[in-house]
Amino acid sequence: MENAVKRIGVLTSGGDAPGMNACIRAVVRSANARGIECVGIRRGWQGLIAGDIMEMDNASVSRIINRGGTMLYTARSDEFRTLEGQKKAAATCKLLGLDGLVAIGGDGTFRGALALSRQAAEAGEHLQVVGIPATIDNDIGCSNYTIGFDTACNTAIECIDKLRDTMQSHERCSVVEVMGHRSGYLALYVGVAIGATAVLVPERPYDFEKHVAEKIRRARLSGKTNFMIVVAEGAASGMAVGEEIRRELGLDPRVTILGHIQRGGSPSAKDRVTATRMGYEAVQLLAEGKTNRIVCTSGEQIVNVDIDEGLAMTKTLDPEEFEVMTAMTGR
Ligand code: F6P
């Protein structure tokens, strides 16, 4: 069957995530294997407005599958939020002869892809767009997994395991703030994996007495003298929780904000493989003439949904996983 597209662009946008490079590689190699040309757009939507491009052939994506970050750079663009910016981006696509685009990132990236697709359609241009979810937050409603989440969890776990050594030696309380934007997935997984005393997630309203003080008390009563409190950035500020522990419980906690270190590092096997499968699927969709789709996971399967529908979907924490976390932290 003939490909519906001849030349496609690929870009990464929003916060970077480990596995983005593996995804770019998969898009380029899947396209080339089908005889579709591929153009790299640097610096996300801002780069598309500016025509900041690079040639992408199989060799250009060699030795990146194991690298964190994104070889195409990423940015958050205010200009692209305006109609004028979207028109400029559509004009770049026309100038370059792009008839397809793969946008790798989070929900802001998908909103951008949809806006671009509408602008191109209004201008009478043929431009198919497909989004791929990549964010350490795992907060995309239509996909139960997003590229980068597994690596970010492992990075946080490695850091907290190190913290635990010194906290145990000093018999201290440690408060660790992890990323996740408005989602508690990262905190929940990390909390379960490190055996946290308490885990605070934005999906459950913060109650210091119930979710922190009582957990620490019970741990102390069971003989523990060091406590690990994991706080999702969207639930509370690690600093504020530390202060409350000092004030209300008389402990001398240490607060660590893991911050952007969670976004770096070599992607895990899960992220490399998922990114590669998603990149392959995106090119397949474009080749088949599909547009306005988000590649996503349903269980272990790679599937796809309409962008509009996907963006309207919301995600809550998995009830079974939340239940396990609650049980492990003493209810
Ligand atoms: O969306 C990914 C993420 O790392 C969030 O977890 C965090 O809230 C945000 O990006 C940080 O963004 P910035 O890189 O702009 O500081």
Side-chain angles (χ1 to χ4, degrees):
M1 200 176 77
E2 213 189 313
N3 294 317
V5 288
K6 292 194 168 45
R7 186 179 299 137
I8 64 170
V10 57
L11 61 80
T12 49
S13 164
D16 64 347
M20 276 184 163
N21 278 326
C23 193
I24 295 166
R25 173 183 178 273
V27 169
V28 172
R29 296 216 167 157
S30 308
N32 286 351
R34 289 173 180 269
I36 299 169
E37 269 181 67
C38 197
V39 177
I41 293 137
R42 283 184 293 222
R43 302 177 177 88
W45 299 118
Q46 196 54 44
L48 189 61
I49 291 171
D52 186 355
I53 52 169
M54 64 182 286
E55 247 183 52
M56 303 292 271
D57 55 15
N58 281 353
S60 69
V61 289
S62 277
R63 295 183 295 276
I64 64 163
I65 196 165
N66 58 329
R67 281 173 39 203
T70 161
M71 67 170 289
L72 290 175
Y73 305 100
T74 183
R76 304 189 202 269
S77 169
D78 286 334
E79 192 180 356
F80 188 72
R81 290 200 183 97
T82 67
L83 198 62
E84 209 42 49
Q86 291 158 15
K87 282 188 174 154
K88 280 190 200 166
T92 306
C93 293
K94 183 180 178 187
L95 175 69
L96 300 175
L98 299 182
D99 44 18
L101 184 82
V102 178
I104 307 167
D107 52 2
T109 305
F110 304 150
R111 264 187 273 280
L114 190 57
L116 178 70
S117 157
R118 286 182 178 149
Q119 279 315 312
E122 256 179 47
E125 300 301 326
H126 170 206
L127 182 70
Q128 298 167 223
V129 300
V130 174
I132 298 182
T135 159
I136 65 161
D137 303 335
N138 197 22
D139 62 350
I140 302 297
C142 60
S143 188
N144 48 21
Y145 190 75
T146 62
I147 297 166
F149 176 70
D150 185 59
T151 307
C153 282
N154 289 327
T155 300
I157 290 164
E158 201 184 318
C159 293
I160 296 174
D161 283 347
K162 286 182 177 151
L163 262 178
R164 184 194 292 285
D165 291 344
T166 169
M167 289 300 145
Q168 270 173 356
S169 307
H170 286 263
E171 299 181 282
R172 271 179 179 154
C173 175
S174 191
V175 177
V176 183
E177 184 185 302
V178 297
M179 279 188 167
H181 196 42
R182 284 192 279 267
S183 162
Y185 260 105
L186 203 51
L188 189 151
Y189 268 61
V190 168
V192 169
I194 60 109
T197 312
V199 181
L200 302 180
V201 292
E203 290 81 359
R204 178 182 60 183
Y206 175 45
D207 178 335
F208 176 78
E209 184 50 35
K210 202 166 153 198
H211 302 140
V212 181
E214 196 50 25
K215 306 254 179 199
I216 292 177
R217 270 187 213 113
R218 286 201 189 172
R220 182 68 193 90
L221 286 167
S222 75
K224 282 199 80 170
T225 55
N226 66 90
F227 316 101
M228 191 62 77
I229 316 299
V230 175
V231 182
E233 64 175 355
S237 127
M239 284 297 190
V241 173
E243 272 316 305
E244 229 167 337
I245 291 173
R246 185 183 305 280
R247 198 175 58 238
E248 302 297 326
L249 300 177
L251 296 175
D252 183 22
R254 294 292 185 272
V255 178
T256 305
I257 297 170
L258 287 185
H260 292 80
I261 201 156
Q262 292 160 102
R263 289 225 302 247
S266 180
S268 66
K270 177 169 173 116
D271 281 324
R272 294 182 199 195
V273 174
T274 308
T276 303
R277 292 173 68 202
M278 285 184 162
Y280 177 85
E281 169 83 2
V283 172
Q284 182 150 315
L285 289 170
L286 291 176
E288 287 169 355
K290 309 257 171 61
T291 187
N292 294 347
R293 309 296 297 175
I294 301 175
V295 175
C296 39
T297 58
S298 171
E300 291 304 309
Q301 267 195 311
I302 305 290
V303 293
N304 62 88
V305 296
D306 174 75
I307 293 191
D308 249 334
E309 284 171 26
L311 282 171
M313 290 162 83
T314 52
K315 196 175 196 175
T316 51
L317 293 177
D318 180 284
E320 184 264 341
E321 290 171 353
F322 184 74
E323 165 75 19
V324 170
M325 181 274 282
T326 313
M328 289 301 115
T329 53
R331 288 198 184 270

